[in-house]
């Protein structure tokens, strides 16, 4: 675990947090551990911390950029592909605790798993050292790539919000309405709604992908109106 901390440039005071952050649900399922032993709750926290830090970073770095372009640039920086790329840079894959089945299927190189573990590690650092410690890591990773990030990222949720804002100040609401499959290999179904009306549904191997698919369907429906 010390090698991972060296790669991160951060040493944990509570070592249980870093182990928790790299524990995938497939490992928990295979080892018959408690559901709460997986990194999913830390991923939820890390996702929020990352969005806050990136939003603050972009706000100050690009003072003349409008809200729409800031949103698109943020989307490109926090998308699954970018997070997975950063996880590879930190060599996170080799440290993930995976079930044998998931590992044999190349789980250590899957974008979905790498991006989730990256976020869970951010959540763990936030709990261990506070906001400024995790912000320092995020800035160190993102400053070299910020200018290269495309403002035209294929982010259906952001595009949908731009369309909806022309008629209303209310944001789209995303709800996970169904989960199928075993704990280590779930498929999620998300629903996008606005002002009480269902606009679209989508499925995917992660909640984020399912929400993007729901937004994509919503955009397709709105175009036909």
């Amino acid at each position: 675990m010390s090698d991972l901390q060296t790669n991160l440039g951060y040493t944990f005071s509570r070592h249980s947090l870093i182990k928790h952050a790299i524990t995938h649900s497939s490992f928990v399922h295979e080892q018959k551990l408690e559901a709460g032993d997986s990194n999913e709750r830390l991923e939820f926290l890390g996702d929020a911390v990352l969005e806050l830090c990136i939003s603050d970073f972009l706000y100050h770095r690009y003072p003349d950029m409008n809200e729409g372009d800031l949103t698109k640039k943020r989307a490109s920086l926090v998308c699954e592909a970018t997070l997975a790329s950063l996880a590879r840079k930190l060599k996170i894959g080799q440290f993930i605790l995976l079930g044998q089945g998931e590992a044999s299927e190349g789980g250590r190189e899957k974008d979905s798993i790498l991006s989730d573990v990256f976020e869970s590690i951010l959540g763990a650092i936030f709990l261990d050292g506070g906001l400024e410690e995790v912000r320092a890591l995020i800035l160190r990773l993102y400053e070299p790539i910020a200018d290269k990030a495309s403002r035209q990222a294929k982010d259906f949720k952001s595009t949908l919000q731009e369309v909806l804002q022309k008629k209303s100040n209310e944001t789209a609401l995303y709800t996970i309405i169904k989960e199928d499959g075993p704990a280590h290999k779930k498929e999620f179904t998300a629903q996008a709604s606005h002002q009480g009306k269902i606009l679209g549904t989508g499925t995917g191997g992660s909640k984020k992908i399912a929400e993007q698919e729901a937004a994509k369907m919503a955009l397709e429906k709105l175009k036909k109106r």
Side-chain angles (χ1 to χ4, degrees):
M1 213 72 73
S2 60
D3 288 344
L4 174 56
Q5 294 180 87
T6 298
N7 294 350
L8 293 169
Y10 179 79
T11 301
F12 280 82
S13 299
R14 297 160 59 189
H15 295 288
S16 60
L17 279 171
I18 184 61
K19 183 177 180 180
H20 198 175
I22 61 173
T23 302
H24 189 254
S25 57
S26 63
F27 182 85
V28 170
H29 176 76
E30 196 172 274
Q31 298 295 318
K32 295 181 172 56
L33 303 175
E34 297 293 328
D37 290 330
S38 80
N39 63 358
E40 291 176 350
R41 281 170 53 83
L42 281 175
E43 177 202 339
F44 164 81
L45 178 60
D47 176 70
V49 170
L50 177 63
E51 183 154 324
L52 170 63
C53 291
I54 291 297
S55 297
D56 179 65
F57 167 63
L58 295 177
Y59 181 86
H60 290 94
R61 187 180 181 95
Y62 304 103
D64 298 323
M65 189 176 287
N66 63 41
E67 179 191 3
D69 286 341
L70 284 170
T71 299
K72 289 177 181 178
K73 183 170 275 291
R74 181 180 63 192
S76 72
L77 290 174
V78 302
C79 72
E80 185 176 276
T82 300
L83 301 189
S85 176
L86 292 173
R88 291 188 179 95
K89 180 179 180 181
L90 296 169
K91 300 180 180 179
I92 286 173
Q94 63 186 282
F95 301 100
I96 303 173
L97 295 177
L98 286 175
Q100 291 183 1
E102 187 65 66
S104 68
E105 294 176 2
R108 298 184 190 284
E109 281 302 313
K110 289 182 179 178
D111 280 7
S112 58
I113 291 177
L114 287 170
S115 62
D116 288 349
V117 174
F118 178 80
E119 288 184 326
S120 66
I121 288 174
L122 296 183
I125 293 175
F126 173 73
L127 290 179
D128 189 69
L131 181 60
E132 291 312 310
E133 288 289 353
V134 73
R135 189 199 302 272
L137 171 60
I138 290 170
L139 293 182
R140 187 165 70 249
L141 292 171
Y142 275 98
E143 282 188 329
I145 67 172
D147 292 333
K148 299 176 184 177
S150 171
R151 284 182 285 171
Q152 303 302 320
K154 198 170 184 179
D155 180 66
F156 297 111
K157 289 176 67 174
S158 296
T159 303
L160 177 60
Q161 192 54 43
E162 289 178 3
V163 172
L164 295 175
Q165 280 180 338
K166 294 177 181 178
K167 300 179 180 180
S168 168
N169 289 326
E170 291 186 35
T171 59
L173 176 66
Y174 295 90
T175 308
I176 301 299
I177 59 174
K178 189 177 180 182
E179 295 184 19
D180 290 318
H184 64 287
K185 204 168 187 179
K186 281 187 176 294
E187 182 174 77
F188 299 90
T189 301
Q191 187 177 80
S193 60
H194 183 249
Q195 295 183 329
K197 296 180 180 179
I198 298 172
L199 300 180
T201 59
T203 60
S206 70
K207 294 178 182 178
K208 291 179 182 178
I209 293 174
E211 290 175 355
Q212 286 286 346
E213 290 299 313
K216 181 180 178 182
M217 179 182 285
L219 286 166
E220 290 172 352
K221 285 185 176 180
L222 291 173
K223 287 179 182 178
K224 295 176 181 178
R225 292 182 180 179

